[in-house]
Amino acid sequence: MEHGWYVVRCFSSHEKKVKEFLEREIEEQGLEDKVKEILIPTETVVEIRSGKKRTREKNFFPGYILLNAHYDEEVNNLVDSAPSCLGFLKVGKSQTVPTPLKKHEVQRIIGRVREGGEEARNIEIPYSEGDLVKVISGPFKDFDGTVQEVNTERLKLRVLVSIFGRKTPVEVHVNQVESAT
């Protein structure tokens, strides 16, 4: 029995619900030999909100889960019966059977999932160029300014603040500012 990785479409933010349903049904129907694994492609990201670091799981393919399975009518019916599930992703309008992902695609996705699980490497900074911010700590506390540059690697912002009536660029850590709006 040959297994392949198939893409299953579901409602965005319902991925865990679909996965739990499929796992329960696979166990009840005894389909463990046909479905090896169900994977939600997620990565760990660090967000900085209100000066505090926060780690969370983020889907990098919202609305999709991966199924390592031997595709047949029984597996197709299982997926079609799942609530919040839209079925297998099929390429082309005339295609009736889904095409499994290529090995290099699967390796890239699984590598990204494993990498994201080991350590949070991606940091989401909620500020972008042109945003109005207020400095909340450090020597420029209580100054308002405009973000001129975002350095995600160093977690620094270059902010233009008005000092003695002149716009002056200052570098601050993302923890030292909050949104002025």
Side-chain angles (χ1 to χ4, degrees):
M1 200 179 314
E2 191 174 323
H3 286 71
W5 283 95
Y6 295 92
V7 178
V8 176
R9 299 178 334 157
C10 58
F11 296 153
S12 187
S13 74
H14 287 236
E15 297 89 356
K16 286 183 183 176
K17 178 181 170 183
V18 171
K19 179 181 178 185
E20 289 168 2
F21 174 84
L22 290 175
E23 287 172 341
R24 230 180 8 259
E25 288 297 309
I26 288 166
E27 192 175 319
E28 284 179 18
Q29 295 180 22
L31 298 174
E32 291 90 353
D33 58 328
K34 291 187 179 184
V35 181
K36 285 185 180 176
E37 187 178 356
I38 302 170
L39 177 71
I40 301 172
T42 60
E43 60 189 343
T44 306
V45 295
V46 176
E47 290 181 323
I48 298 176
R49 301 263 169 140
S50 304
K52 293 184 171 61
K53 275 189 182 182
R54 191 177 85 130
T55 305
R56 71 174 179 91
E57 286 289 311
K58 177 183 175 186
N59 289 358
F60 55 87
F61 293 132
Y64 296 97
I65 60 175
L66 302 178
L67 195 70
N68 186 2
H70 169 73
Y71 181 82
D72 64 4
E73 195 63 35
E74 204 171 12
V75 172
N76 187 54
N77 292 339
L78 170 73
V79 169
D80 284 345
S81 70
S84 304
C85 189
L86 302 170
F88 283 98
L89 181 66
K90 297 173 183 166
V91 182
K93 293 186 182 207
S94 63
Q95 190 166 0
T96 57
V97 177
T99 307
L101 293 171
K102 294 178 175 64
K103 280 194 180 207
H104 71 276
E105 293 171 328
V106 174
Q107 289 170 347
R108 184 174 49 90
I109 293 168
I110 291 175
R112 188 170 169 189
V113 169
R114 300 273 192 296
E115 178 183 292
E118 293 170 15
E119 179 185 334
R121 298 172 196 257
N122 302 322
I123 299 190
E124 282 188 6
I125 297 176
Y127 308 108
S128 58
E129 290 181 29
D131 287 353
L132 296 174
V133 293
K134 180 177 182 171
V135 181
I136 56 172
S137 68
F140 300 101
K141 183 178 179 179
D142 296 328
F143 278 80
D144 290 332
T146 306
V147 177
Q148 183 182 26
E149 181 183 328
V150 179
N151 186 334
T152 54
E153 293 169 7
R154 294 182 49 223
L155 298 178
K156 298 277 186 177
L157 301 173
R158 179 170 290 141
V159 179
L160 287 176
V161 295
S162 182
I163 301 175
F164 303 120
R166 298 187 71 178
K167 295 280 184 187
T168 307
V170 295
E171 190 172 86
V172 293
H173 195 275
V174 292
N175 295 9
Q176 294 179 294
V177 297
E178 65 182 17
S179 181
T181 55

